[in-house]
Amino acid sequence: MSLPPNSSVSVVEDDDSLRIAIAGLLDSLGYRVKTYASAEAFLEDPAGHQADCIITDIQMPGLSGIELKQYLDALGVVTPVIMVTARTEPSLHARARASGAACVLQKPFQEADLVRCIEGVTSA
Amino acid sequence: MSLVADLFEHVRDAVVCWDDQGIIRVWTPAAAALYGWTADQAIGEPFQTRLGPVPDGLGEAVVERRTAAGSALVVEATWVRRAGETLEIGRDVTAQREVEHRLKRSELRYSSLFQAMAAAFWELDFAPVGGLLRELRAQGVIDLPRYFADHPAFVRKMMRHTRVVDVNDTTLAMFGVGERRRLAKSVEPYWPQASSPVYAAAVLAAVGRQSHYMTETRLRRRDGTEFDALFTAAFPHEGLVQGALLVGVIDISARLAAEADLRRLRDDFAHAARVSMLGELAASIAHEVNQPLAAITTNAAASLRWLSREEPDITRAVDLTSRIAADARRAADVVGRVRGMASKRAAAREAVTIPDIIEETLSFLRDDLQSRGAKVQVDALPATVLGDRTQLQQVLANLIINAVQAALPGHRADVRIAATPCGDEVEVSVSDKGPGLSVEPDSLFTSFYSTKPDGIGLGLPICRSIVEAHGGRIQAANAPDGGAVFTIRLPTETDHTKV
């Protein structure tokens, strides 16, 4: 049920420091990581879709994480999407869950929560 | 008879005499002038043909007649009847009657206006007060304002000597008098003690030959309840000579209540705007600070992973640790920027006197304090600081409202504001008799969440920003005898280097 080691994870996050940090953590967990500074950059990369799991920030300049998920749904991409956000509004979290995110994590999230999320997703 | 007739030739009034047959025997030149009939035309004729009917039995009356030419006349006549002879002395009062009619019409108009006015009107007789003032002058009192201020009992005496002549129906309603007969003889019962100075000022205006005096004050109804009123007194000079005085009163309670509502609405709006702005601020702060925090948490976790391997990857851990340090600095910058933003608004620099802004803030909060029955004691020694008057007032207002809201349930708020110069600073403290602080005092200035649902706890971090922007410090503590005390220390004006 969980992601096998060496699976690829795509990280979409506009905050440079956090993007690198998440990549670093996933690396330490044994995953292959590709990083993107925006949802647009992710969509432009054909390799991006081939990830086993996508971790995306919700609030970004340009396409939001929720919009990205909807876009992927329209494309028929079924890769599990984990969303992370600094925002606290319950309505936003509700919308994120409603869009079909496998998990919605509140920043700053604990490593254990991220790990639990990743282990909980179904790989394609 | 001829001597008397001669006499009457010179009398201005019209003198006519007729015998027991009613035939005119005497017709003076004045009668000729008045009635238009010459003596030749009148003497020998029945008096009815020249004078019209004359009432029986009366000694005097006002009769309407016509001149020979047919013009209307009003004559005030006196009759003396003796042994068949009748002597009539008549005075032309036509013009007088016309004036009387006009006066009556005008009086009617006035009295219906008087009644119809939405204002409460009082017609007063001031003459007895004039007498009291003449006595004073005879005693050598020349400074009336001073005398009135020093002798409140005399002011009440003047009120008791101000006689009520008439009032309109609005007065009866406004002052809760009900029936006219229940109206007091003088105005004194309708003046609360605290409003005596206004009455004194009105007297001074009258004595000083002003045409009128108008001010807002509080008056008293028959049942003792007080209300806010616009008091106007007119002193028409002619009337004043006879002592007549017209007072109009308009009940402005509704207006004042509406003004208070408007003020409260404005405050609520400003507060809501501030809260929503701060809410927005808090949201964006959370967002901005959470990014570096999330990076720190993630890097720390990763770093621990690298370090807990069988072969710890020190290089990676070092790299991650330095990233953590960088992110921590980023977070600190966000906090610094936010605090700067909060106190940046129009940082004016003027000399602000502490006792003055305390008074201004209290008067700004007067309605809130009054409606809560809060007791506020001020002990403020003079001190001046350089700064933004509005911002400092906002800080004070925040602390005072907090202190008032801290009152234990069922108890009146008991707040003390003190200002004490202390070296080159001034110490301003706001203390309450509430339950005291249950949290770490310093956290009150750093937390963004208020413990009260509609509280303005959001204000304390901003208060700290403002105070610190003024080169000062603010602290909270529990008072030794119960309650909390918030203390602000600000550099006083002489020390420019600190500001």
Side-chain angles (χ1 to χ4, degrees):
Chain A
M1 266 298 199
S2 64
L3 276 185
N6 226 27
S7 303
S8 76
V9 179
S10 286
V11 176
V12 183
E13 167 63 67
D14 64 298
D15 186 285
D16 300 333
S17 174
L18 184 54
R19 184 179 62 250
I20 296 167
I22 296 177
L25 178 61
L26 292 169
D27 182 24
S28 78
L29 288 167
Y31 298 111
R32 282 179 299 124
V33 189
K34 280 188 78 80
T35 61
Y36 304 89
S38 68
E40 288 85 348
F42 170 80
L43 288 169
E44 273 166 29
D45 182 5
H49 303 198
Q50 291 161 12
D52 298 311
C53 178
I54 301 166
I55 298 176
T56 178
D57 185 19
I58 294 183
Q59 187 158 321
M60 295 183 284
L63 242 74
S64 74
I66 294 175
E67 284 164 337
L68 172 61
K69 176 71 173 79
Q70 288 161 350
Y71 207 90
L72 291 174
D73 285 347
L75 290 174
V77 174
V78 298
T79 316
V81 174
I82 296 171
M83 294 187 189
V84 294
T85 181
R87 301 267 301 270
T88 53
E89 295 88 359
S91 58
L92 184 72
H93 283 242
R95 276 198 299 136
R97 279 190 298 276
S99 75
C103 278
V104 181
L105 292 173
Q106 177 81 60
K107 291 180 197 171
F109 50 84
Q110 295 300 315
E111 178 217 348
D113 293 332
L114 181 63
V115 167
R116 196 173 35 243
C117 266
I118 295 178
E119 288 180 351
V121 305
T122 321
S123 57
Chain B
M1 177 103 167
S2 65
L3 187 64
V4 171
D6 279 345
L7 196 67
F8 279 133
E9 298 301 302
H10 303 289
V11 162
R12 253 188 51 179
D13 293 341
V15 179
V16 178
C17 201
W18 57 86
D19 62 21
D20 56 353
Q21 305 299 318
I23 304 299
I24 296 173
R25 293 293 169 216
V26 175
W27 184 266
T28 61
L34 181 58
Y35 298 114
W37 308 105
T38 64
D40 289 337
Q41 290 169 326
I43 293 178
E45 295 299 316
F47 73 83
Q48 292 95 329
T49 61
R50 297 294 175 256
L51 301 175
V54 164
D56 277 330
L58 291 178
E60 57 191 43
V62 173
V63 288
E64 287 176 19
R65 289 180 173 161
R66 288 215 172 263
T67 61
S71 345
L73 272 181
V74 181
V75 176
E76 195 181 271
T78 310
W79 297 281
V80 180
R81 295 179 179 86
R82 216 184 8 220
E85 278 183 315
T86 306
L87 178 72
E88 178 194 282
I89 305 170
R91 172 168 301 170
D92 180 2
V93 295
T94 318
Q96 210 167 306
R97 181 83 106 71
E98 179 50 39
V99 165
E100 272 174 18
H101 270 147
R102 263 190 281 153
L103 201 66
K104 196 152 280 166
R105 272 200 304 276
S106 144
E107 267 186 27
L108 261 168
R109 215 174 32 239
Y110 167 81
S111 83
S112 57
L113 266 176
F114 188 70
Q115 282 308 323
M117 278 285 136
F121 274 105
W122 300 66
E123 220 182 291
L124 304 173
D125 179 12
F126 200 59
V129 178
L132 290 177
L133 295 177
R134 275 194 293 279
E135 268 173 37
L136 271 193
R137 211 160 302 134
Q139 288 165 22
V141 175
I142 33 174
D143 188 346
L144 276 183
R146 188 55 176 287
Y147 191 84
F148 290 166
D150 293 342
H151 299 83
F154 183 80
V155 176
R156 302 305 299 185
K157 187 176 178 185
M158 287 195 292
M159 288 179 189
R160 284 192 297 276
H161 283 71
T162 307
R163 197 174 66 85
V164 178
V165 175
D166 195 9
V167 301
N168 66 356
D169 291 340
T170 311
T171 300
L172 299 177
M174 188 186 291
F175 286 80
V177 174
E179 292 158 59
R180 213 164 270 267
R181 61 182 174 85
R182 292 228 206 94
L183 198 60
K185 296 280 186 299
S186 81
V187 296
E188 202 251 343
Y190 306 106
W191 284 86
Q193 289 289 343
S195 302
S196 296
V198 168
Y199 180 90
V203 171
L204 291 172
V207 164
R209 298 239 193 280
Q210 311 254 350
S211 62
H212 67 278
Y213 175 76
M214 178 164 82
T215 190
E216 287 182 18
T217 185
R218 274 178 89 76
L219 296 176
R220 197 196 284 146
R221 296 190 194 93
R222 189 164 177 271
D223 66 358
T225 57
E226 295 181 7
F227 65 97
D228 292 299
L230 180 67
F231 168 83
T232 73
F235 319 119
H237 182 65
E238 314 72 41
L240 198 57
V241 164
Q242 285 126 16
L245 169 34
L246 190 66
V247 163
V249 177
I250 295 177
D251 185 332
I252 57 173
S253 320
R255 191 197 89 196
L256 291 187
E259 280 175 7
D261 280 344
L262 187 65
R263 261 201 308 277
R264 210 168 299 127
L265 207 63
R266 262 206 300 269
D267 293 346
D268 285 348
F269 184 77
H271 177 55
R274 199 163 59 98
V275 166
S276 83
M277 183 197 81
L278 285 169
E280 294 285 315
L281 201 60
S284 76
I285 292 164
H287 191 258
E288 283 201 62
V289 165
N290 276 335
Q291 302 287 56
L293 273 184
I296 290 169
T297 320
T298 312
N299 284 332
S303 172
L304 286 172
R305 284 215 165 249
W306 293 122
L307 289 173
S308 55
R309 288 194 169 188
E310 279 202 356
E311 297 244 354
D313 192 326
I314 307 288
T315 322
R316 273 203 152 106
V318 165
D319 175 47
L320 288 168
T321 308
S322 57
R323 280 187 203 282
I324 288 170
D327 282 317
R329 241 190 331 271
R330 196 158 66 115
D333 285 347
V334 169
V335 173
R337 244 197 358 254
V338 163
R339 287 170 62 151
M341 238 160 51
S343 58
K344 205 195 290 195
R345 257 177 318 115
R349 281 266 175 276
E350 54 169 335
V352 174
T353 316
I354 298 295
D356 283 354
I357 53 166
I358 294 176
E359 268 318 300
E360 283 159 15
T361 308
L362 285 175
S363 97
F364 174 73
L365 296 173
R366 180 174 65 133
D367 291 323
D368 279 288
L369 297 173
Q370 259 179 12
S371 67
R372 291 171 199 268
K375 174 174 163 231
V376 179
Q377 185 194 335
V378 180
D379 294 306
L381 293 172
T384 311
V385 300
L386 268 185
D388 185 320
R389 174 175 230 101
T390 314
Q391 287 187 346
L392 292 175
Q393 281 171 345
Q394 283 176 340
V395 171
L396 272 175
N398 201 147
L399 297 183
I400 294 169
I401 293 280
N402 281 358
V404 166
Q405 288 180 342
L408 293 164
H411 285 69
R412 246 170 60 141
D414 189 346
V415 176
R416 182 169 171 265
I417 307 170
T420 323
C422 203
D424 54 6
E425 288 183 320
V426 57
E427 193 181 283
V428 180
S429 65
V430 176
S431 14
D432 63 66
K433 291 266 179 263
L437 306 170
S438 57
V439 294
E440 178 57 45
D442 213 65
S443 72
L444 291 168
F445 299 99
T446 56
S447 80
F448 280 106
Y449 300 99
S450 166
T451 52
K452 296 181 277 271
D454 67 331
I456 51 177
L458 281 169
L460 284 177
I462 304 295
C463 287
R464 175 166 269 182
S465 292
I466 291 172
V467 169
E468 289 178 356
H470 281 75
R473 315 192 283 302
I474 182 170
Q475 284 163 333
N478 280 315
D481 52 350
V485 53
F486 282 73
T487 310
I488 301 170
R489 280 181 192 81
L490 290 168
T492 45
E493 201 222 352
T494 51
D495 192 337
H496 292 280
T497 55
K498 281 198 186 161
V499 180

